[in-house]
């Protein structure tokens, strides 16, 4: 699971949101307004990293984290050819745990998420709120209508280069490897992002992230840092595997035409209990690590699993393509050509890349990241 979420609905909010809202319902206009205000407040609260570092009121811990982030940002440009813009060169200190809260909903007996459509950005599977109470209020409306709903806090998001995304207090204290992962991943989305193809987008950004962290760790990391990141990565894979297992079981349950709705509800309840029980076993294997406990803070529902997908299916293909091209700039150009293709052609080319090209790991050190 990722704490970072791509947030394309912010684009129309500040570009054409007001005009569109005037033609829509009052509730839609209110939604655009809160989103615009939240984004503008975030940008206005951000100050250049250098200013924070030079400020005598900045704590030693924060100064160190910002210096590390600045080093990671420079590495992203110099060694990975990622965008040299103002993203992640400013810092905003928020007085809340998350920068925003996403509302995800599904029907009671389905894992297909509801969609919300916006001008310019198109349709997405969630609605983001900068105020938790507003998110909970909308979630209650959906639950009252019979839907399964999850309200999830988001520590960071990307505007895909439309604005200068700042470093935020909600994630600045991540361990070094995880901070590097997040910055590399979100900057990669600014290079290539295809609407409606999350599998392509996330696999591309994950490849840039993985190889970038490997190379950054090789240059700046120590064994303790590498071990910590490897543990994170292993836990992440374990947890995603657990969720995918129960998502598949739920899909099979809902697809049975000879099973009544009442029977499907009973199986659904049993599967969610089994998921919780198996998670406790997983925690034991991790030595009690509780970083994923917040996933279970709300009663489990289909909405919790609606966004879980095999986004890393194409990572071997992208790694093979990077190895073949030999450099990040050439790799990005090749990926842009793929992005211009039809979805089916794009996926066909990626599927064909794996067998002949993937013969060895691209880098010697593979790493890890936090939930």
């Amino acid at each position: 699971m990722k704490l970072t979420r791509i947030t394309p609905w912010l684009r129309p909010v500040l570009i054409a949101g007001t005009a569109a809202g005037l033609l829509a319902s009052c509730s839609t206009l209110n939604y655009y307004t809160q989103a615009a205000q939240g984004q503008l407040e975030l940008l206005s609260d951000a100050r250049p990293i250098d200013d924070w570092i030079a400020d005598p009121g900045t704590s030693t811990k924060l100064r160190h984290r910002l210096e590390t982030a600045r080093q990671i940002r420079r590495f992203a440009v110099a060694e990975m050819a990622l965008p040299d813009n103002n993203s992640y060169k400013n810092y905003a200190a928020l007085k809340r745990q998350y920068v925003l809260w996403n509302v995800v909903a599904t029907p009671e007996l389905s894992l297909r998420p509801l969609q919300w459509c916006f001008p310019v950005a198109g349709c997405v599977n969630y609605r983001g709120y900068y105020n938790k109470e507003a998110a909970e209020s909308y979630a209650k409306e959906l639950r009252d209508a019979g839907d399964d709903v999850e309200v999830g806090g988001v520590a960071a998001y990307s505007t895909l280069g439309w604005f200068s995304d700042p470093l935020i207090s909600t994630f600045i204290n991540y361990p070094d490897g995880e901070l590097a992962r997040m910055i590399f991943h979100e900057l990669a989305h600014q290079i290539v992002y295809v609407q409606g193809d999350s599998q392509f987008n996330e696999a591309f950004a994950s490849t840039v992230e993985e190889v970038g962290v490997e190379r950054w760790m090789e240059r700046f990391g120590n064994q303790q840092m590498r071990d910590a990141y490897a543990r994170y990565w292993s836990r992440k894979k374990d947890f995603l595997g657990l969720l995918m297992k129960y998502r598949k079981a739920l899909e099979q349950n809902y697809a049975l035409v000879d099973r009544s709705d009442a029977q499907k509800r009973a199986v659904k309840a049993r599967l969610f209990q089994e998921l919780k029980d198996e998670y406790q076993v997983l925690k034991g294997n991790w030595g009690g690590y509780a970083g994923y406990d917040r996933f279970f803070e709300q009663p489990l529902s289909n909405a919790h699993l609606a966004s879980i997908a095999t986004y890393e299916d194409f990572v071997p293909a992208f790694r093979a393509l990077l190895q073949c091209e030999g450099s990040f700039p050439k790799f990005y150009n090749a990926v842009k050509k793929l992005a211009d293709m039809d979805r089916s052609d794009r996926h066909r080319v990626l599927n064909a890349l794996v067998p002949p090209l993937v013969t060895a790991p691209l880098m010697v050190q593979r790493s890890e990241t936090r939930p």
Side-chain angles (χ1 to χ4, degrees), residues 104-250:
V104 179
T106 70
E108 180 191 12
L109 298 176
S110 171
L111 287 165
R112 183 181 296 277
L114 305 186
Q115 288 195 327
W116 292 270
C117 299
F118 306 97
V120 183
C123 299
V124 294
N125 297 337
Y126 54 86
R127 277 171 61 123
Y129 290 84
Y130 286 87
N131 180 277
K132 185 178 181 180
E133 288 69 30
E136 293 286 5
S137 176
Y138 185 63
K140 184 178 184 303
E141 291 182 26
L142 295 171
R143 288 192 184 99
D144 289 345
D147 293 319
D148 279 15
V149 185
E150 179 203 14
V151 178
V154 179
Y157 64 81
S158 171
T159 59
L160 306 179
W162 283 72
F163 305 102
S164 299
D165 298 323
L167 298 162
I168 313 174
S169 54
T170 52
F171 65 83
I172 193 63
N173 289 317
Y174 284 6
D176 290 359
E178 298 174 34
L179 182 62
R181 177 206 68 76
M182 192 283 299
I183 292 174
F184 298 156
H185 187 102
E186 302 307 339
L187 287 173
H189 280 307
Q190 294 185 16
I191 292 179
V192 177
Y193 186 83
V194 180
Q195 283 193 23
D197 196 346
S198 295
Q199 190 176 14
F200 174 84
N201 297 328
E202 293 303 321
F204 163 67
S206 294
T207 302
V208 174
E209 156 201 326
E210 290 180 15
V211 177
V213 171
E214 289 166 2
R215 296 184 180 183
W216 185 82
M217 286 276 192
E218 190 175 86
R219 175 83 64 84
F220 299 105
N222 53 44
Q223 193 57 47
Q224 182 180 7
M225 186 188 301
R226 295 186 184 100
D227 290 345
Y229 194 73
R231 286 192 298 272
Y232 162 80
W233 190 269
S234 177
R235 291 191 298 261
K236 176 184 175 182
K237 293 293 187 182
D238 288 347
F239 188 65
L240 287 176
L242 177 67
L243 299 186
M244 287 301 299
K245 171 184 174 180
Y246 282 93
R247 177 188 169 95
K248 182 177 181 180
L250 286 164

Side-chain angles (χ1 to χ4, degrees), residues 1 7 39 43 82 101 118 126 136 147 180 193 254 267 274 282 298 316 330 337 349 356 364-365:
M1 281 183 15
T7 312
Q39 176 65 28
L43 294 176
L82 287 168
W101 287 263
F118 306 97
Y126 54 86
E136 293 286 5
D147 293 319
Y193 186 83
Y254 301 144
V267 173
E274 290 176 0
L282 204 55
Q298 302 173 53
K330 291 181 179 179
K337 292 179 181 178
V349 171
V364 293
Q365 177 64 41

Side-chain angles (χ1 to χ4, degrees), residues 256-304:
L256 291 175
V257 295
D258 58 346
R259 185 173 287 176
S260 69
D261 286 354
Q263 291 172 320
K264 291 178 181 179
R265 292 187 188 101
V267 173
K268 173 185 175 182
R270 174 176 59 79
L271 288 172
F272 278 128
Q273 183 58 53
E274 290 176 0
L275 169 56
K276 290 191 290 185
D277 293 342
E278 194 166 339
Y279 171 67
Q280 293 303 317
V281 174
L282 204 55
K283 279 183 63 176
N285 295 338
W286 295 337
Y289 175 79
Y292 289 99
D293 280 5
R294 66 180 176 274
F295 184 83
F296 300 88
E297 288 176 353
Q298 302 173 53
L300 289 181
S301 72
N302 295 327
H304 283 72

